[in-house]
Amino acid sequence: MIYQYSGVVHIHSFYSDGSADFKGIAKAASKAGAKFILINDHDTLAGLHREGEQYLHGVLVLVGSEVTPKKNHFLCYDINSVPSNKLLPHQYVSQVYEQGGFGFLAHPDHKENPMFPGKMNWEDWDLDNAVGLEIWNYFSQWMASFKNKKGLLKSFLFPKATLSPPRSETLLKWDRLGKQRPVPAIAGVDAHGGRQLSWIPNILSSYKYQFKTFRTHILAKEPLKGIVHRDRHIILSAIKSGRSYLVNHCAGRVEHFQFYLQHLNNQWHMGEEVKQRPNMSLNVILPTKAHMKVIKDGKLLLQRKTNFLRLPNPDPGVYRVEVYKGHVRPRPWIFSNHIYIRN
Protein backbone atom coordinates (compact mmCIF):
# COMPACT_ATOMS: atom_id res chain seq x y z
CA MET A 1 0.00 0.00 0.00
CA ILE A 2 1.19 3.51 -0.85
CA TYR A 3 0.48 6.47 1.45
CA GLN A 4 0.52 10.04 0.11
CA TYR A 5 1.28 13.17 2.11
CA SER A 6 1.31 16.81 1.03
CA GLY A 7 4.01 19.20 2.23
CA VAL A 8 5.46 22.66 1.66
CA VAL A 9 9.09 22.98 0.61
CA HIS A 10 11.44 26.00 0.70
CA ILE A 11 10.31 28.22 3.57
CA HIS A 12 12.17 31.00 5.37
CA SER A 13 11.60 31.78 9.07
CA PHE A 14 12.70 34.74 11.16
CA TYR A 15 16.05 33.00 11.65
CA SER A 16 16.94 34.51 8.26
CA ASP A 17 14.51 36.81 6.43
CA GLY A 18 11.10 35.30 7.20
CA SER A 19 8.54 36.80 9.58
CA ALA A 20 7.60 33.96 11.97
CA ASP A 21 9.05 31.26 14.17
CA PHE A 22 8.49 27.54 13.56
CA LYS A 23 5.29 27.49 15.60
CA GLY A 24 3.72 30.30 13.59
CA ILE A 25 4.74 28.76 10.29
CA ALA A 26 3.46 25.33 11.32
CA LYS A 27 0.14 26.85 12.35
CA ALA A 28 -0.26 28.39 8.88
CA ALA A 29 0.72 25.08 7.27
CA SER A 30 -1.84 23.22 9.36
CA LYS A 31 -4.60 25.63 8.29
CA ALA A 32 -3.52 25.09 4.67
CA GLY A 33 -3.75 21.30 5.08
CA ALA A 34 -0.03 20.44 4.84
CA LYS A 35 1.40 17.45 6.74
CA PHE A 36 5.05 18.53 6.72
CA ILE A 37 7.18 21.60 5.98
CA LEU A 38 10.83 22.02 5.03
CA ILE A 39 12.55 25.14 6.38
CA ASN A 40 15.43 26.59 4.33
CA ASP A 41 16.78 29.67 6.07
CA HIS A 42 19.63 31.43 4.31
CA ASP A 43 23.09 30.10 5.25
CA THR A 44 22.11 29.00 8.75
CA LEU A 45 20.77 26.14 10.87
CA ALA A 46 19.94 28.46 13.77
CA GLY A 47 16.32 27.31 13.82
CA LEU A 48 17.40 23.68 14.08
CA HIS A 49 19.67 24.43 17.04
CA ARG A 50 17.14 26.64 18.87
CA GLU A 51 13.81 24.95 18.14
CA GLY A 52 14.71 21.57 16.66
CA GLU A 53 12.70 19.34 14.35
CA GLN A 54 9.32 18.53 15.86
CA TYR A 55 5.61 18.17 15.32
CA LEU A 56 3.81 21.50 15.80
CA HIS A 57 0.06 21.88 15.23
CA GLY A 58 0.11 18.38 13.73
CA VAL A 59 2.71 19.37 11.11
CA LEU A 60 6.21 17.87 11.05
CA VAL A 61 8.78 20.68 10.87
CA LEU A 62 12.02 19.62 9.17
CA VAL A 63 15.04 21.90 8.83
CA GLY A 64 17.59 22.34 6.08
CA SER A 65 19.19 25.47 4.69
CA GLU A 66 19.71 27.47 1.51
CA VAL A 67 23.27 28.31 0.52
CA THR A 68 22.87 31.78 -0.96
CA PRO A 69 25.70 33.44 -2.86
CA LYS A 70 24.62 36.10 -5.39
CA LYS A 71 23.53 33.30 -7.73
CA ASN A 72 23.62 29.48 -7.78
CA HIS A 73 21.44 29.07 -4.67
CA PHE A 74 21.34 25.54 -3.27
CA LEU A 75 18.66 23.96 -1.04
CA CYS A 76 20.19 21.34 1.24
CA TYR A 77 18.84 18.85 3.77
CA ASP A 78 20.02 16.26 6.27
CA ILE A 79 23.13 18.28 7.11
CA ASN A 80 25.02 19.12 10.31
CA SER A 81 26.56 22.37 9.07
CA VAL A 82 25.96 24.81 6.22
CA PRO A 83 28.82 25.23 3.71
CA SER A 84 30.12 28.75 3.17
CA ASN A 85 28.45 30.70 0.38
CA LYS A 86 31.92 32.06 -0.49
CA LEU A 87 32.88 28.72 -2.00
CA LEU A 88 32.41 27.76 -5.64
CA PRO A 89 29.17 25.90 -6.44
CA HIS A 90 30.79 22.50 -6.90
CA GLN A 91 32.60 22.98 -3.59
CA TYR A 92 29.57 23.72 -1.41
CA VAL A 93 27.49 21.09 -3.17
CA SER A 94 30.24 18.52 -2.54
CA GLN A 95 30.44 19.52 1.13
CA VAL A 96 26.72 18.85 1.53
CA TYR A 97 27.04 15.34 0.10
CA GLU A 98 30.27 14.60 1.98
CA GLN A 99 28.40 15.01 5.28
CA GLY A 100 25.62 12.68 4.15
CA GLY A 101 23.20 15.35 3.03
CA PHE A 102 21.48 16.01 -0.28
CA GLY A 103 20.07 18.96 -2.14
CA PHE A 104 18.39 20.73 -5.03
CA LEU A 105 19.37 23.54 -7.37
CA ALA A 106 17.09 26.38 -6.28
CA HIS A 107 15.04 28.26 -8.93
CA PRO A 108 17.66 27.18 -11.52
CA ASP A 109 16.25 29.21 -14.43
CA HIS A 110 15.06 32.22 -12.46
CA LYS A 111 14.25 35.10 -14.80
CA GLU A 112 15.74 38.44 -13.75
CA ASN A 113 13.21 41.22 -13.18
CA PRO A 114 14.28 44.64 -14.54
CA MET A 115 12.58 46.36 -11.59
CA PHE A 116 14.58 44.30 -9.08
CA PRO A 117 17.97 43.56 -10.69
CA GLY A 118 19.79 40.47 -9.50
CA LYS A 119 20.48 37.04 -10.93
CA MET A 120 19.49 33.99 -8.90
CA ASN A 121 19.71 31.39 -11.65
CA TRP A 122 22.12 28.45 -11.85
CA GLU A 123 25.10 28.74 -14.17
CA ASP A 124 27.30 25.81 -13.08
CA TRP A 125 25.50 22.66 -14.24
CA ASP A 126 28.66 20.51 -14.38
CA LEU A 127 28.27 18.87 -10.97
CA ASP A 128 29.47 15.42 -9.90
CA ASN A 129 26.86 14.85 -7.19
CA ALA A 130 23.34 13.50 -7.75
CA VAL A 131 21.61 16.83 -7.14
CA GLY A 132 17.91 17.40 -7.72
CA LEU A 133 16.07 20.38 -9.21
CA GLU A 134 13.51 22.79 -7.82
CA ILE A 135 11.57 22.92 -11.07
CA TRP A 136 8.66 25.02 -9.70
CA ASN A 137 9.14 28.06 -7.46
CA TYR A 138 6.22 30.31 -6.52
CA PHE A 139 8.21 33.43 -5.64
CA SER A 140 10.38 33.13 -8.75
CA GLN A 141 7.28 32.88 -10.93
CA TRP A 142 5.73 35.89 -9.24
CA MET A 143 8.92 37.93 -9.77
CA ALA A 144 8.88 37.05 -13.47
CA SER A 145 5.22 38.05 -13.92
CA PHE A 146 5.69 41.83 -14.23
CA LYS A 147 8.08 44.30 -15.85
CA ASN A 148 6.67 47.68 -14.77
CA LYS A 149 4.66 49.31 -11.98
CA LYS A 150 1.33 48.54 -13.63
CA GLY A 151 2.27 44.89 -13.93
CA LEU A 152 3.52 44.87 -10.33
CA LEU A 153 0.15 46.17 -9.11
CA LYS A 154 -1.71 43.53 -11.13
CA SER A 155 0.55 40.75 -9.81
CA PHE A 156 0.15 42.07 -6.28
CA LEU A 157 -3.66 42.12 -6.49
CA PHE A 158 -4.03 38.84 -8.40
CA PRO A 159 -1.04 36.65 -7.46
CA LYS A 160 -2.80 33.40 -8.41
CA ALA A 161 -2.97 34.62 -12.00
CA THR A 162 0.84 34.60 -12.13
CA LEU A 163 1.06 30.82 -11.72
CA SER A 164 2.22 29.02 -14.83
CA PRO A 165 3.87 25.69 -15.68
CA PRO A 166 7.54 25.20 -14.82
CA ARG A 167 9.82 26.95 -17.30
CA SER A 168 10.30 24.92 -20.48
CA GLU A 169 14.08 25.20 -20.34
CA THR A 170 14.09 23.82 -16.80
CA LEU A 171 11.93 20.86 -17.81
CA LEU A 172 14.14 20.12 -20.81
CA LYS A 173 17.31 20.17 -18.70
CA TRP A 174 15.60 17.92 -16.16
CA ASP A 175 14.53 15.41 -18.82
CA ARG A 176 17.99 15.35 -20.40
CA LEU A 177 19.72 14.82 -17.07
CA GLY A 178 17.27 11.98 -16.38
CA LYS A 179 18.76 10.03 -19.28
CA GLN A 180 22.04 9.91 -17.33
CA ARG A 181 20.80 9.37 -13.77
CA PRO A 182 17.73 9.78 -11.57
CA VAL A 183 17.06 13.48 -10.92
CA PRO A 184 14.48 14.16 -8.17
CA ALA A 185 12.38 17.31 -8.48
CA ILE A 186 10.51 19.43 -5.95
CA ALA A 187 8.10 22.37 -6.04
CA GLY A 188 9.22 25.23 -3.81
CA VAL A 189 7.24 28.14 -2.41
CA ASP A 190 10.15 30.34 -1.26
CA ALA A 191 7.85 31.76 1.40
CA HIS A 192 9.03 34.61 3.65
CA GLY A 193 5.80 35.27 5.51
CA GLY A 194 3.12 37.94 5.81
CA ARG A 195 3.14 41.29 7.50
CA GLN A 196 0.25 43.66 8.15
CA LEU A 197 -0.32 46.88 6.24
CA SER A 198 -2.56 48.70 8.72
CA TRP A 199 -5.65 46.45 8.86
CA ILE A 200 -5.12 45.11 5.31
CA PRO A 201 -3.31 41.75 5.16
CA ASN A 202 -0.45 41.47 2.70
CA ILE A 203 -1.96 38.45 0.95
CA LEU A 204 0.95 38.04 -1.41
CA SER A 205 3.40 37.32 1.43
CA SER A 206 1.11 35.44 3.81
CA TYR A 207 2.45 32.02 4.78
CA LYS A 208 -1.07 30.65 4.80
CA TYR A 209 -1.79 31.99 1.31
CA GLN A 210 1.49 30.82 -0.19
CA PHE A 211 1.11 27.37 1.35
CA LYS A 212 -1.99 26.96 -0.81
CA THR A 213 0.00 27.35 -4.04
CA PHE A 214 2.75 24.83 -4.88
CA ARG A 215 3.05 21.58 -2.94
CA THR A 216 5.29 18.52 -3.04
CA HIS A 217 3.34 15.30 -2.37
CA ILE A 218 5.42 12.33 -1.22
CA LEU A 219 4.76 8.61 -1.65
CA ALA A 220 5.43 6.44 1.41
CA LYS A 221 5.22 2.68 1.92
CA GLU A 222 4.43 3.22 5.60
CA PRO A 223 2.08 5.71 7.25
CA LEU A 224 3.34 8.65 9.29
CA LYS A 225 2.79 7.92 12.98
CA GLY A 226 3.75 11.13 14.76
CA ILE A 227 7.22 9.86 15.71
CA VAL A 228 9.68 12.56 14.66
CA HIS A 229 12.81 10.55 13.84
CA ARG A 230 10.83 7.82 12.06
CA ASP A 231 8.59 10.16 10.05
CA ARG A 232 11.57 12.39 9.25
CA HIS A 233 13.30 9.45 7.55
CA ILE A 234 10.17 8.57 5.55
CA ILE A 235 9.71 12.13 4.26
CA LEU A 236 13.33 12.95 3.49
CA SER A 237 14.02 9.63 1.78
CA ALA A 238 10.99 10.20 -0.48
CA ILE A 239 12.10 13.77 -1.28
CA LYS A 240 15.68 12.62 -1.95
CA SER A 241 14.70 9.81 -4.32
CA GLY A 242 11.95 11.63 -6.22
CA ARG A 243 9.13 9.45 -4.86
CA SER A 244 6.84 12.43 -5.16
CA TYR A 245 4.76 14.60 -7.45
CA LEU A 246 4.17 18.34 -7.60
CA VAL A 247 0.79 20.06 -7.36
CA ASN A 248 -0.53 23.56 -7.99
CA HIS A 249 -3.21 23.66 -5.28
CA CYS A 250 -4.69 26.81 -6.82
CA ALA A 251 -5.90 24.57 -9.66
CA GLY A 252 -7.31 21.99 -7.25
CA ARG A 253 -6.45 19.90 -4.22
CA VAL A 254 -5.17 16.38 -4.77
CA GLU A 255 -5.59 13.57 -2.29
CA HIS A 256 -4.51 10.75 -4.56
CA PHE A 257 -2.59 10.63 -7.84
CA GLN A 258 -1.00 7.53 -9.33
CA PHE A 259 1.71 7.13 -11.94
CA TYR A 260 3.34 3.73 -11.89
CA LEU A 261 4.88 0.96 -13.97
CA GLN A 262 3.26 -2.46 -13.72
CA HIS A 263 4.66 -5.91 -14.51
CA LEU A 264 2.63 -8.88 -13.26
CA ASN A 265 2.26 -8.26 -9.51
CA ASN A 266 5.17 -5.80 -9.33
CA GLN A 267 4.88 -2.02 -9.36
CA TRP A 268 7.47 0.73 -9.67
CA HIS A 269 6.63 4.30 -8.79
CA MET A 270 7.96 7.79 -9.44
CA GLY A 271 11.67 8.15 -8.82
CA GLU A 272 12.42 4.48 -9.49
CA GLU A 273 14.58 2.85 -12.17
CA VAL A 274 13.76 -0.50 -13.73
CA LYS A 275 15.11 -2.59 -16.56
CA GLN A 276 12.73 -3.01 -19.47
CA ARG A 277 10.99 -6.35 -19.80
CA PRO A 278 8.07 -7.71 -21.88
CA ASN A 279 4.44 -7.06 -20.92
CA MET A 280 5.04 -3.96 -18.83
CA SER A 281 2.51 -1.12 -18.71
CA LEU A 282 2.65 2.51 -17.63
CA ASN A 283 -0.48 3.59 -15.75
CA VAL A 284 -1.84 6.98 -14.75
CA ILE A 285 -4.87 7.54 -12.49
CA LEU A 286 -6.12 11.10 -11.86
CA PRO A 287 -8.55 12.32 -9.18
CA THR A 288 -10.83 13.59 -11.95
CA LYS A 289 -10.89 13.88 -15.72
CA ALA A 290 -8.34 16.41 -16.96
CA HIS A 291 -5.95 17.11 -19.81
CA MET A 292 -3.06 14.66 -19.45
CA LYS A 293 0.30 14.73 -21.23
CA VAL A 294 2.85 11.90 -21.17
CA ILE A 295 6.40 13.11 -21.77
CA LYS A 296 9.15 10.71 -22.88
CA ASP A 297 12.78 11.84 -23.05
CA GLY A 298 11.68 15.47 -23.07
CA LYS A 299 9.18 15.10 -25.94
CA LEU A 300 5.39 14.82 -25.95
CA LEU A 301 4.47 11.16 -26.41
CA LEU A 302 0.69 11.47 -26.18
CA GLN A 303 -2.03 13.63 -24.70
CA ARG A 304 -5.73 13.24 -24.03
CA LYS A 305 -8.51 14.29 -21.69
CA THR A 306 -9.14 11.42 -19.30
CA ASN A 307 -8.77 10.27 -15.70
CA PHE A 308 -7.09 6.96 -16.56
CA LEU A 309 -4.40 5.90 -19.00
CA ARG A 310 -2.69 2.58 -19.64
CA LEU A 311 0.30 2.53 -21.98
CA PRO A 312 1.33 -1.07 -22.79
CA ASN A 313 4.90 -2.17 -23.53
CA PRO A 314 6.65 1.19 -23.12
CA ASP A 315 10.09 1.51 -24.74
CA PRO A 316 13.15 2.38 -22.65
CA GLY A 317 13.11 6.06 -21.73
CA VAL A 318 12.53 8.72 -19.12
CA TYR A 319 8.79 9.19 -18.53
CA ARG A 320 6.78 11.78 -16.65
CA VAL A 321 3.24 13.16 -16.63
CA GLU A 322 1.84 16.69 -16.83
CA VAL A 323 -1.80 17.41 -16.00
CA TYR A 324 -3.77 20.58 -16.79
CA LYS A 325 -7.20 21.47 -15.43
CA GLY A 326 -9.92 23.62 -17.01
CA HIS A 327 -11.45 24.18 -20.42
CA VAL A 328 -10.94 27.70 -21.79
CA ARG A 329 -7.59 28.44 -20.12
CA PRO A 330 -6.26 25.16 -18.67
CA ARG A 331 -4.19 25.69 -15.56
CA PRO A 332 -1.10 23.62 -14.72
CA TRP A 333 -2.13 21.17 -12.01
CA ILE A 334 0.08 18.09 -11.49
CA PHE A 335 3.67 17.38 -12.56
CA SER A 336 5.02 13.94 -11.75
CA ASN A 337 8.59 12.93 -11.06
CA HIS A 338 10.15 10.57 -13.59
CA ILE A 339 9.92 6.83 -13.95
CA TYR A 340 13.13 5.53 -15.57
CA ILE A 341 12.92 2.51 -17.89
CA ARG A 342 16.45 1.43 -18.84
CA ASN A 343 17.77 -0.98 -21.44
Side-chain angles (χ1 to χ4, degrees):
M1 184 174 181
I2 298 296
Y3 300 87
Q4 303 190 17
Y5 298 99
S6 173
V8 184
V9 178
H10 195 162
I11 304 166
H12 299 284
S13 77
F14 70 11
Y15 292 107
S16 60
D17 57 348
S19 63
D21 60 8
F22 289 2
K23 185 176 292 186
I25 295 172
K27 184 177 181 180
S30 178
K31 290 181 178 179
K35 299 300 182 184
F36 64 90
I37 57 176
L38 272 59
I39 304 292
N40 286 95
D41 283 318
H42 297 292
D43 305 302
T44 184
L45 290 174
L48 176 64
H49 300 316
R50 297 178 188 177
E51 297 194 49
E53 297 182 322
Q54 57 181 310
Y55 270 99
L56 294 169
H57 298 284
V59 176
L60 181 55
V61 180
L62 299 176
V63 185
S65 185
E66 181 179 8
V67 184
T68 53
K70 290 186 178 180
K71 50 190 171 185
N72 298 313
H73 291 193
F74 188 61
L75 302 171
C76 47
Y77 304 99
D78 219 5
I79 56 173
N80 300 313
S81 62
V82 184
S84 170
N85 62 16
K86 306 300 181 184
L87 299 172
L88 295 174
H90 75 273
Q91 292 175 320
Y92 53 73
V93 170
S94 292
Q95 285 193 10
V96 167
Y97 282 82
E98 286 168 2
Q99 60 182 289
F102 66 97
F104 298 81
L105 310 188
H107 35 71
D109 288 304
H110 175 84
K111 188 175 181 180
E112 185 176 9
N113 189 308
M115 294 185 65
F116 302 95
K119 293 185 177 181
M120 295 190 296
N121 60 301
W122 261 87
E123 294 183 342
D124 186 355
W125 289 80
D126 187 19
L127 300 170
D128 295 329
N129 301 97
V131 298
L133 301 181
E134 182 188 46
I135 66 167
W136 231 354
N137 180 293
Y138 171 76
F139 183 69
S140 181
Q141 284 207 347
W142 183 81
M143 285 286 288
S145 66
F146 57 88
K147 296 181 180 180
N148 51 46
K149 292 182 179 179
K150 182 178 180 181
L152 173 60
L153 179 61
K154 182 179 179 181
S155 295
F156 181 84
L157 294 175
F158 307 102
K160 287 183 180 181
T162 68
L163 300 184
S164 58
R167 295 180 63 82
S168 58
E169 54 263 52
T170 306
L171 293 174
L172 185 58
K173 289 174 183 174
W174 181 37
D175 291 328
R176 288 175 175 173
L177 284 171
K179 295 181 181 181
Q180 305 169 26
R181 62 169 177 85
V183 186
I186 55 173
V189 175
D190 213 347
H192 294 77
R195 295 173 175 83
Q196 298 296 317
L197 301 177
S198 183
W199 56 271
I200 304 173
N202 186 345
I203 296 175
L204 171 66
S205 298
S206 161
Y207 283 120
K208 182 181 177 182
Y209 175 86
Q210 289 194 352
F211 291 172
K212 292 181 179 180
T213 58
F214 294 160
R215 296 279 189 88
T216 299
H217 291 233
I218 67 159
L219 308 181
K221 295 181 180 179
E222 301 177 72
L224 301 182
K225 293 186 175 181
I227 304 170
V228 174
H229 71 277
R230 175 188 175 279
D231 296 352
R232 175 187 193 274
H233 174 73
I234 290 173
I235 293 169
L236 290 184
S237 63
I239 295 287
K240 181 179 181 180
S241 63
R243 293 198 309 274
S244 61
Y245 58 94
L246 320 177
V247 179
N248 171 16
H249 272 231
C250 291
R253 296 175 63 91
V254 177
E255 299 297 333
H256 202 68
F257 162 78
Q258 295 186 63
F259 173 43
Y260 62 93
L261 185 66
Q262 180 88 36
H263 180 257
L264 301 177
N265 294 324
N266 299 312
Q267 287 186 0
W268 295 268
H269 297 270
M270 289 167 277
E272 296 188 299
E273 288 183 293
V274 61
K275 188 174 181 179
Q276 187 200 31
R277 61 200 71 179
N279 301 316
M280 283 182 157
S281 67
L282 270 174
N283 301 273
V284 186
I285 303 176
L286 304 182
T288 187
K289 186 178 290 187
H291 186 78
M292 180 195 307
K293 296 182 179 181
V294 178
I295 311 297
K296 176 181 179 286
D297 297 334
K299 298 179 180 179
L300 178 64
L301 179 64
L302 61 88
Q303 60 180 325
R304 65 187 59 169
K305 187 172 182 180
T306 183
N307 64 342
F308 173 78
L309 175 70
R310 181 179 182 273
L311 178 64
N313 297 310
D315 293 327
V318 179
Y319 293 84
R320 61 180 177 84
V321 174
E322 299 180 3
V323 184
Y324 296 79
K325 194 174 184 181
H327 300 285
V328 180
R329 297 180 62 184
R331 293 184 291 174
W333 187 22
I334 303 170
F335 282 73
S336 77
N337 259 281
H338 291 120
I339 291 177
Y340 308 89
I341 305 177
R342 309 298 192 187
N343 281 311

